[in-house]
Amino acid sequence: MNENKEQIKLSEMTDQELLLEAKRMRSTSLTNAVLIGFLIGVIIYGVVNDSIGFLAIIPLFMIYKLVNSTKYKRTELQNLLKERNIKVR
């Protein structure tokens, strides 16, 4: 239900608001990439120190949540930008 509200919000945005949202998404993607890299480092450190177990599952779950958190919103935003013929610089 929350995703439907978000999609409605995106479809009601003006062109300028969509451009700002696209720029914000790009910034969010960079932050997520840094966090995912850090969490992979935590997992590798745990493997090297023979501490595989529950503590390795937590970073894997966090990586999963980071990857899937913006996937649907990003595709909806890209579709709206294509529909309105807006190019992001």
Side-chain angles (χ1 to χ4, degrees):
M1 185 171 177
N2 191 18
E3 290 177 11
N4 290 336
K5 288 181 182 179
E6 194 66 37
Q7 290 175 356
I8 292 170
K9 285 183 183 179
L10 284 177
S11 63
E12 293 175 354
M13 286 184 174
T14 65
D15 292 349
Q16 287 293 343
E17 291 172 334
L18 283 175
L19 283 173
L20 289 174
E21 186 69 19
K23 289 180 182 179
R24 190 184 68 77
M25 284 289 250
R26 190 179 308 159
S27 167
T28 303
S29 295
L30 180 63
T31 304
N32 284 350
V34 169
L35 287 173
I36 289 170
F38 174 75
L39 292 171
I40 289 173
V42 168
I43 292 170
I44 291 172
Y45 178 77
V47 169
V48 169
N49 287 329
D50 295 330
S51 62
I52 300 175
F54 182 70
L55 293 178
I57 294 173
I58 295 171
L60 286 174
F61 177 73
M62 292 174 75
I63 290 171
Y64 172 76
K65 294 300 276 183
L66 284 172
V67 168
N68 287 329
S69 65
T70 59
K71 183 168 61 170
Y72 298 110
K73 187 175 178 183
R74 185 180 311 130
T75 56
E76 179 69 22
L77 181 62
Q78 288 173 348
N79 290 339
L80 279 172
L81 290 172
K82 285 180 185 178
E83 282 179 16
R84 296 183 187 186
N85 293 327
I86 302 171
K87 294 184 180 179
V88 181
R89 298 176 196 161

